[in-house]
Amino acid sequence: MNEESRTGSDTPTPEEPRARVERTRDELGRTVEALAAKAKAKADVGAQAKEKAAATKEKAAATKEQVAEKAGQASDRIRAATEQAAQLVKDKAPDPVREKAARGAAQVRGSAAVIGQYATDRAPDPLLEKAGQAAGFARAHRGPLLAGGGLLLVLLLVRRSRVRGR
C-alpha cells in the first residue's frame, strides 16, 4: 500500500516544486520591494520635515484666525460691558451728582486747556512733535483706548467693592 501511494497521484511532479519555489520568489521579491519603499520613505527626512513644516504652518494659520476672532469677540464684550457699566453709573447717580460732575468736568477741561497752552508755549519742538504723534494715535484708536479705560474703571470698582466687603 505504501508503494501505491508513492506511485499514485500524491507524488509531486518535478514541475510542482519548481512552481512553488517560483511563487515564493515572487512573493519574497514583492515583500522586499515594499520594505525597501518603506525604508526609503522613512530615510527621506527632508521630505518629512517639509511635510511637518507645512502642516505646522497650516495649524498656526488656523490658530491665528481663531485667536483673532476670539480677541475681536472679547473686545466687543468688553466694549459692551463698559458701555453698560457707564450707563448703569449714569442711571444710578442722582441729578445733583451728575450736575456737579458736569461742572467739575467743565472746570477740568478749562484748566487742561490753560495748562496745555502753557506747556505748548514752553515745550521744545521735538517734544511737541512726539506729543502730536501720540495724540494722533489716540484719536485713531479712540475706541479700543476708551474700552480699555472703561475696563480698567470696572476692574477698579470691582476691586474696591471686594476690599470693602472684607
Side-chain angles (χ1 to χ4, degrees):
M1 199 156 164
N2 282 345
E3 289 179 21
E4 279 183 18
S5 62
R6 285 186 194 159
T7 58
S9 64
D10 290 343
T11 307
T13 62
E15 289 81 25
E16 287 177 356
R18 285 188 191 129
R20 249 188 289 162
V21 167
E22 191 62 35
R23 277 193 310 267
T24 304
R25 281 186 189 151
D26 287 342
E27 289 174 10
L28 185 58
R30 284 191 296 266
T31 304
V32 168
E33 286 175 3
L35 288 173
K38 279 186 179 181
K40 183 178 178 184
K42 284 185 179 181
D44 194 2
V45 176
Q48 287 179 354
K50 285 180 183 178
E51 288 176 12
K52 285 187 180 182
T56 303
K57 255 186 193 176
E58 289 176 15
K59 198 179 220 182
T63 303
K64 179 182 174 184
E65 288 177 18
Q66 289 175 348
V67 167
E69 184 178 324
K70 286 183 181 181
Q73 291 172 352
S75 176
D76 292 343
R77 285 194 304 266
I78 290 169
R79 189 174 295 117
T82 303
E83 290 171 0
Q84 186 179 16
Q87 188 62 41
L88 182 64
V89 168
K90 189 176 178 182
D91 291 345
K92 296 279 182 173
D95 288 336
V97 171
R98 277 190 273 178
E99 289 171 8
K100 191 173 182 179
R103 282 194 306 271
Q107 284 179 337
V108 168
R109 277 193 292 275
S111 298
V114 169
I115 292 170
Q117 186 61 43
Y118 180 76
T120 302
D121 293 343
R122 304 274 182 191
D125 289 337
L127 180 63
L128 291 176
E129 185 178 317
K130 290 287 184 182
Q133 290 174 352
F137 178 82
R139 281 188 210 102
H141 299 91
R142 183 177 294 154
L145 288 173
L146 288 174
L151 176 63
L152 180 63
L153 177 66
V154 169
L155 291 174
L156 289 173
L157 289 173
V158 168
R159 183 176 177 208
R160 182 177 172 196
S161 67
R162 286 185 179 170
V163 168
R164 284 186 176 176
R166 288 184 183 175

